[in-house]
Amino acid sequence: MFLFVVFALIALAAAVGVITSRKPVYSALFLLLNFATLAALYIMVEAQFLAAVQIIVYAGAVIVLFLFVVMLIGGGELDDIGGRNKKFLARLTWPRGIALVLGLGLLVAVGYGLLSGQLMTATNDAAAFGQGSVQAIAAVLYTDYALPFELASILLLVGMIGAVALAQPPKKD
Amino acid sequence: MDWISLILIPAIKSLILVIVLLTGFAYATWFERKLIGRFQQRIGPNRAWTFGLGHPIADALKMIFKEEIVPSYVDKILFVMAPGLAIVPALLIFAVVPVGPNITLFGREIPLVVADVNIGLLWVLAVAGVGVYGIILGGWASNNKYSLLGALRTSAQMLSYELPMGVLLIAILLTTALGTADGAGTLSLVQIVNMELPWYIRIWILLAFPLYFITMLAETSRKPFDFPETENELVAGFQTEYGSIKFALFYMTEYLHILGASGVAVSVFFGGWRGPFVEQAPILGVFYFAAKLIAMVFLFIWVSASVPRPRYDQLLRFCWTFLFPVSLVYLAITAAIVILL
């Protein structure tokens, strides 16, 4: 329990760091810290495989790509994000308005789920999550959930082919 | 009683591992300088003590006592943090590599591995993936265009070569299904080393080693793939602005990566600590492991002394148009073999 509180606090602090950092590189690094603490939380509920995948996919690839992009388009300090000197309503342009509405919607949905207990159906008993070993996950993934698994991989394949198609130089007739 | 096996023994094992790795790093540099010297028909370091064995210690002292310079135009936090971020994953890789069979000490059965976790090889991939941050951040924080170019090259190089490396490892993991009792296979390096595989499968695994070795060279940024620091194009790449002990940490990282990658490769391809008479005297296993590890490090140095560096675009094209497809074909054939047997 003590470790959980420590990691949860680090994760929350990192999440706040992501949106308050003024340098994009620092935001990406806070996100990395957040993912790492999530992996630690997975390990605490005996989901070692999930933790490893979390690190390999998010820490090892996604954030590296973020950094890559930030560095290529210039990772300097954002000057005056959205006009800090202006009044609140003047800063509320339409993309920010949409983001605000969607963010509040998510917060309400998650909050409702937590308070009504619908997100808590699984007990936080380690034994309930004890099936997190590679063998257990693989057995379920390739038998009961084989179809969703294959569909998800086709989705990724479509994304990949789309990226290759977009990267092709246009044909000259 | 319980805390001894839960905390004390792993703590002692980690401490010994770190000390051995750091000493190993120091003498890996000596080994490399000596060998490169011989390859180039020189004698190599021979001033400090017999055979120049004192050189690593002298180098360490020199690095520690040099002036620490943090240039004024760098991002200070990340600049200082980067070498630490680089070296920690490099030290962590070895945690899942078994260096010997179980030995009995003070009436206690002690496995010679720091952590036998069920995710085994995934741990190696995860830690290796995180290892790239030290280099990327070091290059970016230096605020120097050569450093940044080196860092960007590193991230592209490592992300690209992780793919064939991962695919080859998946293929080898598939063969472990033939070695476990329930046919489910395993990710644990301890079990991979312990496993009895038919001789033809062993040979089939060895066939993948040349490909795997190339990906290892690229992942550890060793010559001929040392593009993060290509001195004739990028001064010293991501570490241009680093000096004294911070440079030494990057330097250590490079050699620790070699040791870690060699340890994993020895366990996966060459049976780890196994050798004749290990059943009778388990401690022999440690020596076999060390001998195989040194042979692997020798291979690294041999290649670096013999092969010229390609161009950067050649490196990436080689990965995507040759290495990756070939490793996919290897994976497909392995899968077919495992299903048919």
Side-chain angles (χ1 to χ4, degrees):
Chain A
M1 191 61 197
F2 170 72
L3 274 179
F4 172 78
V5 171
V6 171
F7 281 124
L9 285 180
I10 296 177
L12 283 179
V16 171
V18 173
I19 52 173
T20 53
S21 295
R22 305 203 63 188
K23 288 183 181 174
V25 170
Y26 279 76
S27 286
L29 288 179
F30 275 120
L31 197 57
L32 174 65
L33 180 60
N34 190 307
F35 289 156
T37 43
L38 276 188
L41 290 176
Y42 288 149
I43 286 179
M44 288 177 58
V45 289
E46 306 271 315
Q48 295 178 341
F49 177 69
L50 206 54
V53 169
Q54 168 90 4
I55 294 288
I56 293 174
V57 173
Y58 284 98
V62 172
I63 303 280
V64 173
L65 283 180
F66 280 6
L67 285 177
F68 203 89
V69 171
V70 166
M71 287 170 184
L72 279 181
I73 63 172
E77 195 165 337
L78 295 176
D79 40 87
D80 193 26
I81 304 176
R84 281 183 177 237
N85 308 323
K86 292 187 199 154
K87 290 241 168 61
F88 176 74
L89 277 179
R91 279 156 60 186
L92 204 63
T93 52
W94 67 268
R96 286 210 189 90
I98 294 175
L100 194 65
V101 170
L102 289 179
L104 283 176
L106 182 66
L107 206 61
V108 168
V110 173
Y112 176 75
L114 281 177
L115 292 177
S116 64
Q118 286 179 15
L119 281 182
M120 295 286 222
T121 43
T123 55
N124 49 356
D125 170 20
F129 292 93
Q131 302 300 316
S133 74
V134 183
Q135 284 87 348
I137 287 189
V140 183
L141 201 59
Y142 289 105
T143 53
D144 297 353
Y145 298 101
L147 184 64
F149 177 74
E150 294 299 335
L151 286 180
S153 47
I154 286 177
L155 199 64
L156 288 176
L157 188 65
V158 169
M160 205 160 76
I161 293 173
V164 171
L166 283 177
Q168 292 282 332
K171 263 187 198 149
K172 282 176 189 146
D173 296 317
Chain B
M1 186 66 189
D2 199 28
W3 67 273
I4 292 184
S5 54
L6 254 181
I7 296 174
L8 188 68
I9 292 180
I12 293 175
K13 281 195 287 196
S14 326
L15 196 66
I16 293 176
L17 181 68
V18 169
I19 292 172
V20 169
L21 277 180
L22 291 184
T23 323
F25 143 73
Y27 283 91
T29 65
W30 172 82
F31 192 47
E32 167 158 46
R33 290 171 64 188
K34 264 300 200 208
L35 276 179
I36 295 272
R38 289 294 172 185
F39 280 124
Q40 297 170 348
Q41 319 217 339
R42 296 180 283 116
I43 293 176
N46 66 346
R47 295 290 104 179
W49 301 350
T50 329
F51 306 123
L53 277 170
H55 277 271
I57 300 168
D59 279 342
L61 287 176
K62 183 191 78 175
M63 286 295 189
I64 291 169
F65 287 112
K66 265 189 171 176
E67 184 186 357
E68 285 241 33
I69 297 174
V70 179
S72 58
Y73 43 80
V74 302
D75 186 315
K76 293 226 168 44
I77 302 173
L78 291 184
F79 186 79
V80 175
M81 211 163 81
L85 272 180
I87 196 166
V88 170
L91 281 170
L92 287 176
I93 289 181
F94 237 98
V96 293
V97 178
V99 297
N102 293 359
I103 56 166
T104 317
L105 215 60
F106 306 120
R108 216 176 254 283
E109 178 119 332
I110 298 175
L112 288 181
V113 55
V114 171
D116 179 17
V117 285
N118 102 19
I119 49 174
L121 262 180
L122 283 182
W123 165 267
V124 174
L125 288 179
V127 170
V130 173
V132 70
Y133 283 101
I135 292 176
I136 297 184
L137 291 177
W140 181 79
S142 296
N143 198 7
N144 169 327
K145 55 170 93 71
Y146 295 115
S147 300
L148 185 59
L149 279 174
L152 289 175
R153 282 182 171 192
T154 312
S155 42
Q157 175 176 338
M158 288 202 170
L159 284 181
S160 304
Y161 276 83
E162 247 167 43
L163 278 169
M165 178 179 249
V167 170
L168 288 174
L169 282 178
I170 292 173
I172 289 154
L173 288 176
L174 283 180
T175 64
T176 64
L178 299 173
T180 44
D182 57 350
T186 178
L187 280 168
S188 155
L189 279 172
V190 176
Q191 289 187 45
I192 288 177
V193 172
N194 283 338
M195 161 176 311
E196 296 288 342
L197 286 174
W199 60 270
Y200 44 89
I201 292 291
R202 286 261 172 231
I203 290 178
W204 175 249
I205 290 178
L206 277 182
L207 281 182
F209 180 70
L211 296 175
Y212 185 81
F213 186 71
I214 295 173
T215 66
M216 258 161 74
L217 283 176
E219 285 289 308
T220 53
S221 324
R222 278 291 294 178
K223 295 182 196 74
F225 296 148
D226 53 344
F227 287 94
E229 40 172 305
T230 2
E231 73 277 358
N232 49 0
E233 303 162 24
L234 294 179
V235 191
F238 68 97
Q239 55 195 12
T240 306
E241 302 288 345
Y242 282 91
S244 71
I245 192 69
K246 290 202 282 297
F247 167 76
L249 285 178
F250 275 132
Y251 197 60
M252 265 186 214
T253 308
E254 185 185 332
Y255 283 89
L256 289 175
H257 276 152
I258 296 173
L259 292 177
S262 304
V264 174
V266 163
S267 302
V268 171
F269 289 95
F270 299 104
W273 45 262
R274 295 214 297 187
F277 304 115
V278 172
E279 277 80 18
Q280 286 82 353
I283 199 70
L284 266 179
V286 181
F287 292 101
Y288 286 131
F289 182 81
K292 289 176 183 176
L293 192 71
I294 291 171
M296 193 68 79
V297 173
F298 177 80
L299 198 56
F300 265 95
I301 297 168
W302 190 8
V303 169
S304 79
S306 319
V307 185
R309 187 192 296 133
R311 268 196 340 260
Y312 186 65
D313 58 316
Q314 293 172 327
L315 170 87
L316 288 189
R317 182 171 309 124
F318 177 70
C319 175
W320 288 102
T321 61
F322 176 74
L323 219 46
F324 186 48
V326 168
S327 52
L328 279 179
V329 169
Y330 181 82
L331 172 65
I333 297 176
T334 314
I337 292 177
V338 171
I339 292 290
L340 292 179
L341 284 178

